[in-house]
Amino acid sequence: DHKQWELELDWLALRGVNLPLAWVGYEYILIETFREVGLTDADIATFLSGPAFQAWNRFGNIQGSWGGDLPTKWVQDQFGLQKFIVKRMAELGMTPVLPSFTGFVPRALADLYPNASIVIGDQWSGFPTVLTNDSFLEPFDPLFAKMQKSFITKQRDAYGDVSHIYTLDQYNEINPLSGDLDYLSNVTANTFAALRAADSNAVWLMQGWLFFSSSSFWTDQRIQAYLGGVPGNDSMIILDLYSEAQPQWNRTQSYYGKQWVWCELHGYGGNIGMEGNLDEITQGPIAALSSPGSSMKGVGLTMEGQEGNELIYDALLDQAWSKTPLDLSTYVDAWTARRYNVKPLPKAVLDAWRTLSTTVYNNKDVNTQAAIKSILELSPDVTGLTGRGGHHPTKIPYDTNTTIVPALHGLLRGFHQQPLLSLIPEFKYDVVDVARQLLANRFIDIYNALLGTFNSSTASADAVRAAGAPLLTLIDDLDSLLWTDENFLLTHWIRDARGWARGDAAYTAYLEFNARNQITLWGPNGEINDYASKQWAGVVGTYYRPRWAAFVDALAEAKGNGTAFDSAAFKAQMIQLGRTWSNGTWGTGDGEKWGVQGNTWAVVERLVEKYA
């Protein structure tokens, strides 16, 4: 809402961010553009996605909605919010990156314009055809330029002449129709020509993610042809989206001269596992800037969620203002002192952050460099959960007993030595976060012990249940911990979603469904199940616990029957559980509370005694 966005923009301004993405309210302008070329509201409704999934609709990954069509009220309210956001960005001296017409269109446009060059895009992430394979109006069709001019003109009329930088991504995790070099060059040449016809000063901003995620398609020759279709190096800005782990600037000769930004991706799906690489984010941008022929123009954050790991985000944005790599030991001490702002600050607190910054937040394992997901957030199984690298890693690249444990003890010693820390929200948040990470890591040990019992030829069904009991107890303990801090509550997520409905019962249910489905099934049938999972009080207790309780029961039953665990059948059972949970209404179930519950310090002391 307005208040939350104002806080977000203050956060950005205080860290010197000058080029923020501003594509809230995109659908309002897009709908007006679609109507102008003859599409009906019914045609458009089958194309737009729900509030929690709009980014992927804008990227051409999905189309349509599950759980109901996008309400007009949502579109109007988001348009009003965007007016506020853009105005405030301009007041703060920022240049908003505005949306543009990408070419993704409702299927009905092909019926209205049978001679138009409209192609069907790839299926994305296993979604059913009705929800993916988006129609794409190719940029060399005259209708593309017409719609681009209509879109940008309407946008300028709505927000004013505040920016000439436009975000436009055509092939995010979907491939072009052809890999022919002339075809690729023709696509970008005509896309840019349409932008410049609508705004003579237009600069095209795009993500470089496609060159990594679809690297088998995007050979060096194809990248060069695609980027080369745009004349001049100052006419594009490319976000090297995952520079901290999978940079593409170095294999593309600094994007063949086009302007680009060194970015940190870090957190897939807004996962909150503690992770970062302070050495890389302070040294990497300097090295890239000074490399021969570098066309790097900035430093950026492109995380998919901003909760947690604030040290990493602060450090990167502070590094943007330094010509040499930050001295990390000095920086972390100063950051800690500034964050808590109490005097004297106990040495134990500084030592805790020194430990975290040199271990957990200095991860050298390139295969786990993204916010690490806890296996307790994943649909249970007997294989495939632990030790994962790559996308959504679950491998813990540090020793919990020499990192998380002493850091948590240090924070608590500081709390006892300096009572003023109990009044600092950031300190309370950090204590809960470190304790949360401790329990998430301990869960792996208990899970492995459970599997060891299940796989033992001499263990009984009762022994399996006994081995599963500590696992369920840990989940209960985690839930009780998270309830003590407002930053870890499912109820805030649901409250914020429901708030847009202003009492309309059907609209309220629709918004809550979107909020619930995104953090669980992420699709009607778990297409990217648990992608945006969250360790939040409420989710842990009412969703993860039932899944793991069912898992323990299934293992015990299989052991008692002398049969193998049926992963496929269990997965189907979990998808059905997810559907039921997605359609729930918070406050109607047993024990479903609102707001903070319990005392952080008492709960943490108990859990430290038990798990640390």
Side-chain angles (χ1 to χ4, degrees), residues 83-250:
K83 288 182 177 179
F84 163 78
I85 292 168
V86 170
K87 181 175 182 290
R88 184 64 179 146
M89 285 178 175
E91 289 171 350
L92 290 168
M94 300 173 178
T95 300
V97 177
L98 294 175
S100 57
F101 174 63
T102 59
F104 300 112
V105 294
R107 291 185 170 113
L109 192 71
D111 298 325
L112 282 173
Y113 296 87
N115 296 321
S117 181
I118 298 174
V119 297
I120 305 301
D122 292 348
Q123 184 187 42
W124 183 74
S125 285
F127 275 80
T129 302
V130 69
L131 294 173
T132 184
N133 299 107
D134 290 22
S135 296
F136 180 62
L137 174 63
E138 297 200 282
F140 39 78
D141 191 288
L143 185 57
F144 182 97
K146 177 182 177 181
M147 294 180 73
Q148 186 70 275
K149 185 163 188 176
S150 172
F151 183 96
I152 289 178
T153 299
K154 294 178 192 306
Q155 184 167 252
R156 187 182 297 116
D157 290 344
Y159 310 136
D161 189 13
V162 294
S163 179
H164 302 287
I165 302 179
Y166 301 96
T167 178
L168 200 163
D169 289 280
Q170 297 166 318
Y171 302 117
N172 179 69
E173 298 180 4
I174 52 177
N175 288 336
L177 177 68
S178 168
D180 178 78
L181 301 185
D182 288 339
Y183 173 83
L184 295 172
S185 178
N186 198 17
V187 166
T188 47
N190 283 278
T191 299
F192 185 70
L195 273 174
R196 278 285 167 95
D199 179 348
S200 59
N201 296 308
V203 175
W204 179 358
L205 182 141
M206 65 168 283
Q207 298 181 120
W209 173 252
L210 70 169
F211 304 134
F212 165 65
S213 68
S214 300
S215 58
S216 59
F217 176 89
W218 288 104
T219 62
D220 292 353
Q221 276 189 315
R222 286 173 175 172
I223 296 172
Q224 189 167 14
Y226 186 72
L227 299 181
V230 179
N233 290 332
D234 294 341
S235 49
M236 290 191 89
I237 302 172
I238 299 162
L239 305 180
D240 194 65
L241 213 68
Y242 199 9
S243 301
E244 81 273 25
Q246 298 290 344
Q248 300 299 297
W249 65 268
N250 47 6

Side-chain angles (χ1 to χ4, degrees), residues 280-481:
E280 180 59 31
I281 65 173
T282 52
Q283 297 174 20
I286 301 297
L289 185 64
S290 59
S291 66
S294 177
S295 52
M296 173 182 160
K297 297 295 182 181
V299 170
L301 287 173
T302 50
M303 64 286 206
E304 293 185 0
Q306 200 172 328
E307 294 77 18
N309 296 306
E310 192 163 356
L311 171 63
I312 296 298
Y313 305 144
D314 280 345
L316 181 65
L317 294 180
D318 282 336
Q319 181 59 61
W321 299 97
S322 175
K323 293 181 179 180
T324 57
L326 298 174
D327 181 290
L328 287 173
S329 60
T330 302
Y331 179 84
V332 171
D333 281 359
W335 180 88
T336 305
R338 184 172 67 249
R339 182 168 177 81
Y340 301 144
N341 196 30
V342 297
K343 294 181 180 179
L345 181 64
K347 180 177 180 296
V349 174
L350 290 172
D351 286 344
W353 276 105
R354 289 166 182 162
T355 297
L356 292 173
S357 67
T358 56
T359 57
V360 176
Y361 286 121
N362 219 346
N363 177 19
K364 305 300 185 187
D365 182 358
V366 71
N367 209 31
T368 60
Q369 284 175 352
I372 296 168
K373 187 186 284 287
S374 169
I375 67 167
L376 70 87
E377 303 169 37
L378 298 174
S379 184
D381 207 336
V382 292
T383 60
L385 298 189
T386 60
R388 293 192 334 204
H391 207 71
H392 287 296
T394 61
K395 178 185 176 183
I396 306 298
Y398 53 83
D399 179 359
T400 299
N401 291 323
T402 60
T403 57
I404 298 292
V405 170
L408 184 54
H409 279 298
L411 292 175
L412 287 179
R413 278 199 303 275
F415 163 72
H416 289 299
Q417 294 166 6
Q418 174 53 279
L420 289 176
L421 285 169
S422 67
L423 306 176
I424 306 300
E426 292 85 350
F427 183 78
K428 179 186 171 190
Y429 174 92
D430 292 339
V431 169
V432 172
D433 197 30
V434 177
R436 175 205 59 73
Q437 191 64 58
L438 172 65
L439 268 64
N441 294 359
R442 293 295 193 227
F443 187 89
I444 298 172
D445 301 330
I446 300 172
Y447 167 78
N448 286 333
L450 170 62
L451 290 189
T453 301
F454 175 70
N455 290 324
S456 169
S457 59
T458 59
S460 64
D462 286 343
V464 171
R465 291 191 189 279
L471 180 149
L472 301 180
T473 298
L474 185 147
I475 294 176
D476 291 337
D477 286 337
L478 177 61
D479 205 39
S480 68
L481 168 70

Side-chain angles (χ1 to χ4, degrees), residues 483-516:
W483 273 115
T484 69
D485 189 273
E486 64 178 0
N487 296 286
F488 295 92
L489 302 184
L490 168 68
T491 55
H492 279 16
W493 177 248
I494 290 177
R495 178 203 64 197
D496 289 350
R498 287 183 181 184
W500 288 101
R502 300 183 185 89
D504 181 324
Y507 190 14
T508 298
Y510 170 85
L511 292 169
E512 181 166 351
F513 169 82
N514 266 259
R516 284 171 170 259

